[in-house]
Amino acid sequence: FRFKDSLAEDLRKADLVISHAGAGSCLETLEEGKPLIVVTNEKLMNNHQLELAQQLHRDGHVLCCNCSTLVETLRSMDLSTLKPFPPGQPEKFALFLDKVVGFQ
């Protein structure tokens, strides 16, 4: 998709997601518990997407490739090696923030 208001329904139906390495796309897919192949764009300046993709790959949550290695990644992938992404804990951040600003 170039743009869509929400991918939630598509993600729920998906068996596999192939996406760019945008933080929102990655996290939304991983929170839905779907296997994810992240295709990095090596031409981006200050490539934070590459950093995110590499860290998620090192942590075992995604498969990572670029456009030229996507076909080989699809041929050789073993989705059983992927680790579930731990759920967010916003209450921990709220407690931290309360402490920092003096509400505790």
Side-chain angles (χ1 to χ4, degrees):
F1 302 103
R2 280 193 152 306
F3 176 79
K4 196 170 185 180
D5 285 335
S6 174
L7 295 176
E9 183 179 340
D10 299 296
L11 289 174
R12 280 191 293 278
K13 293 178 182 178
D15 294 320
L16 171 68
V17 176
I18 301 171
S19 176
H20 73 130
S25 300
C26 290
L27 294 177
E28 191 173 356
T29 302
L30 292 171
E31 288 171 354
E32 191 63 40
K34 300 299 180 168
L36 175 60
I37 297 176
V38 178
V39 181
T40 61
N41 180 350
E42 297 167 334
K43 295 178 183 175
L44 293 177
M45 301 277 295
N46 302 320
N47 200 343
H48 65 280
Q49 287 191 9
L50 179 60
E51 293 172 16
L52 175 62
Q54 288 175 335
Q55 186 62 53
L56 289 172
H57 180 72
R58 278 192 297 273
D59 292 343
H61 302 299
V62 304
L63 298 176
C64 187
C65 65
N66 57 43
C67 289
S68 64
T69 60
L70 176 59
V71 172
E72 181 55 34
T73 300
L74 288 167
R75 284 186 183 135
S76 65
M77 69 183 180
D78 180 359
L79 299 178
S80 70
T81 64
L82 296 178
K83 298 176 185 175
F85 190 73
Q89 297 177 323
E91 63 280 353
K92 284 188 175 182
F93 178 71
L95 287 172
F96 168 77
L97 195 57
D98 287 347
K99 188 182 244 182
V100 168
V101 295
F103 292 132
Q104 229 176 7

